[in-house]
Amino acid sequence: MVALAAAMPAPARAGGFDQEMARWVAALETRLVTLEEGMPDAAPATRIARGPVLKPGMIDSRVFDLTRRLVELGYLEPGSERDVFDELVKVSVETFQAERGLNPDGKVGGATLAALNLTPAEEVASIRETLSRIAEFSASAPATVVLVNLPAQDLTLVRDGETVLTMDTVVGSPSRPTPLLTDTITHVVVNPTWTVPPTVLKQDKLPSLRRTGSPGIDHATVWLDGEPVDPAAVDWTGVSSWRVRIVQSAGDHSALGRFRFNLTNGDHIYLHGTNAPRVFNRDRRAVSSGCVRLADPEGLADDLLRSAGFTPERITSLVNAGETRWLRLAEPMPVRFVYWPAVLRNDRVVVLPDIYGIVPPPEQIAATN
């Protein structure tokens, strides 16, 4: 049985997943009881109206609603309500943001506002959904697994029940969600080329070719009917996507970075690096076309390839050589993509945004109970 990646405080540390799971699930269940006992007669949660970003130094009626909400959530002591965004409020907002994986800048913008405005009923729905999905997962969870929690946008590598690596990820956007896969990693590709997948080709790159005569990809070769072409010399009007192939060469410019981790699914979903690490500074990283980008792909490659006789130094040498190399794992690595929006951070239950709209609405849950 394994625990949620987001339940592990940063930085990563080794630890028994059974113990972490027990502590985390107990916290979810305790929070669920508290919420359900308090909801029938409780006043609704304070909602903060939309408006300009709330910043330190502001005096505003919305700041009073902000501090009231922070009191309700336990980030300010009762009686701390005020309309001045002072240092105490800023520190409380930063703590709230840090626990939810938001940029802890002390400002209340759109992402922070949405997290603050989560209602108790919505929190109950997410906790129930998470507990149900964990129970299903735990029934068949391997002791060694790469676990990607999509709402938390992170990855955990577990070996023999111990956490050995965690990192941030980028996952599929709401319009192109990452599927909930049970799969295996079979190969690590060093210096991968990138063949534009069918959905991206049809919806993004072919329209770009028609509009500008370019796919908008650095160091890419465009193929038409099996032959490389100068894209600017082709009239792309009426050309079907199945006739087109676009391949980006390997290198630091590659959308896949220096590593790709091949899975076995038929949906063209895999793990990979990136040539745009700044994306990991975002609060919300559900922006990919379905594949999962990794903040530390080299760290994962080092661990997965160790049993196949590849040292970190040798892997670095292969990267520096620039040649595309397919390296087979000694044993396929199980992978699970899960959807657990209720996590435990700093001993506090935190409900993350339901990025794919999977959690049933509170009224639906109430109707079935």
Side-chain angles (χ1 to χ4, degrees):
M1 184 180 296
V2 297
L4 178 63
M8 305 295 292
R13 70 181 194 279
F17 259 31
D18 282 342
Q19 292 83 355
E20 288 292 333
M21 177 64 87
R23 184 176 69 87
W24 177 57
V25 169
L28 287 185
E29 292 175 340
T30 298
R31 178 63 178 164
L32 185 62
V33 170
T34 300
L35 286 167
E36 291 185 326
E37 288 182 347
M39 278 196 308
D41 301 316
T46 298
R47 295 190 69 81
I48 306 162
R50 293 179 179 271
V53 174
L54 294 174
K55 303 177 182 179
M58 292 180 65
I59 300 176
D60 193 290
S61 60
R62 293 171 63 231
V63 175
F64 187 88
D65 290 336
L66 167 64
T67 57
R68 177 183 290 171
R69 184 64 180 138
L70 290 169
V71 168
E72 293 169 352
L73 293 170
Y75 291 90
L76 282 175
E77 293 294 327
S80 299
E81 297 89 342
R82 63 198 70 191
D83 60 5
V84 179
F85 202 129
D86 58 16
E87 183 65 19
L88 179 63
V89 178
K90 177 177 180 291
V91 170
S92 299
V93 169
E94 289 172 343
T95 302
F96 175 87
Q97 291 170 322
E99 290 185 356
R100 281 154 178 78
L102 301 166
N103 179 26
D105 60 4
K107 303 174 184 178
V108 181
T112 300
L113 184 68
L116 285 163
N117 280 338
L118 187 78
T119 68
E122 291 167 338
E123 187 175 351
V124 165
S126 285
I127 291 174
R128 283 189 171 277
E129 183 71 11
T130 300
L131 287 170
S132 175
R133 288 178 176 271
I134 287 175
E136 180 181 359
F137 168 83
S138 298
S140 60
T144 296
V145 65
V146 169
L147 179 65
V148 179
N149 182 18
L150 301 179
Q153 304 164 142
D154 61 15
L155 173 148
T156 295
L157 171 60
V158 181
R159 281 199 178 278
D160 298 322
E162 297 292 321
T163 305
V164 296
L165 181 68
T166 66
M167 69 182 73
D168 289 337
T169 68
V170 172
V171 300
S173 67
S175 62
R176 297 177 184 175
T178 301
L180 297 175
L181 295 175
T182 296
D183 209 327
T184 56
I185 299 173
T186 58
H187 295 77
V188 177
V189 185
V190 179
N191 298 315
T193 60
W194 179 47
T195 299
V196 176
T199 298
V200 177
L201 176 60
K202 181 178 182 179
Q203 297 184 9
D204 299 336
K205 302 310 176 184
L206 188 53
S208 178
L209 286 168
R210 290 169 177 162
R211 186 173 59 253
T212 69
S214 169
I217 304 174
D218 293 335
H219 303 277
T221 300
V222 179
W223 300 69
L224 177 62
D225 297 329
E227 298 291 335
V229 297
D230 175 1
V234 176
D235 180 2
W236 296 99
T237 305
V239 174
S240 300
S241 60
W242 62 267
R243 298 174 56 193
V244 182
R245 185 163 65 98
I246 304 173
V247 181
Q248 185 182 42
S249 63
D252 288 334
H253 56 268
S254 172
L256 304 187
R258 293 290 188 165
F259 296 93
R260 185 180 76 204
F261 302 84
N262 284 1
L263 306 180
T264 67
N265 65 86
D267 297 322
H268 304 282
I269 300 298
Y270 46 84
L271 313 177
H272 63 85
T274 180
N275 61 355
R278 289 179 297 178
V279 70
F280 292 102
N281 296 329
R282 298 185 183 184
D283 291 336
R284 297 288 177 255
R285 300 187 301 277
V287 296
S288 83
S289 294
C291 289
V292 176
R293 305 176 205 169
L294 307 179
D296 183 17
E298 187 169 6
L300 182 60
D302 286 348
D303 185 279
L304 296 185
L305 291 170
R306 188 174 300 126
S307 59
F310 291 88
T311 65
E313 293 76 19
R314 186 180 177 192
I315 294 171
T316 298
S317 177
L318 292 174
V319 169
N320 292 337
E323 180 183 354
T324 300
R325 295 284 302 272
W326 285 54
L327 309 178
R328 182 186 294 274
L329 301 191
E331 294 184 6
M333 169 62 71
V335 177
R336 301 289 187 273
F337 291 0
V338 299
Y339 201 87
W340 299 339
V343 301
L344 186 64
R345 290 179 176 161
N346 298 327
D347 295 322
R348 188 193 305 270
V349 172
V350 173
V351 172
L352 304 171
D354 179 15
I355 55 175
Y356 298 156
I358 288 177
V359 177
E363 56 271 19
Q364 179 177 331
I365 291 179
T368 58
N369 289 339

